[in-house]
Amino acid sequence: QSSAWRPVLALLADMAENDVRADAITVSTAVGACGRAQRWQEALWLFRTVGGNGLQPDLQSFGAALAACAAARSWEIVFRLSREMEEFSMLPD
C-alpha cells in the first residue's frame, strides 16, 4: 500500500491533462494514499489543491490531511489544520 501514492498522483495528473476535474472524494482518497505512504508533504499539497479546484474541504479530506501530518509528527501543521476545521465549523471524530 505504501507505493499506491505514485499511481494516484499519476491518475490525478492524467485527469488534469484531460480536463477532468477531481471531486472531493477523489482528492480525499489521494490525500489518504499519500498519508499511508508517509508522504505528508504530498498529502498536504493535495489537500490544498481542493480549494484551488473550487471545492471546499470536507471532513474526510481534513481527516486524511490531519492523519498524514500527525503520522509525520508535523504538529504545527496539525494545529493549523485543526484551526481551519474550526473555521469551517467542522469537528473531528
Side-chain angles (χ1 to χ4, degrees):
Q1 271 193 359
S2 63
S3 63
W5 67 278
R6 290 178 194 264
V8 168
L9 292 184
L11 176 62
L12 288 175
D14 287 344
M15 289 172 68
E17 284 180 23
N18 292 298
D19 294 323
V20 177
R21 192 169 145 200
D23 61 9
I25 294 170
T26 305
V27 173
S28 294
T29 301
V31 170
C34 289
R36 285 187 298 282
Q38 300 179 347
R39 307 294 297 193
W40 70 271
Q41 294 99 337
E42 288 87 350
L44 188 60
W45 178 80
L46 286 170
F47 174 77
R48 295 291 181 211
T49 65
V50 170
N53 289 338
L55 301 171
Q56 187 174 29
D58 60 8
L59 193 57
Q60 287 75 24
S61 61
F62 267 113
L66 280 167
C69 294
R73 300 179 189 255
S74 298
W75 304 121
E76 184 178 325
I77 297 171
V78 169
F79 178 73
R80 273 191 266 155
L81 288 172
S82 297
R83 298 284 295 189
E84 288 178 36
M85 284 182 77
E86 289 177 9
E87 291 173 16
F88 281 99
S89 300
M90 292 182 200
L91 299 173
D93 292 336

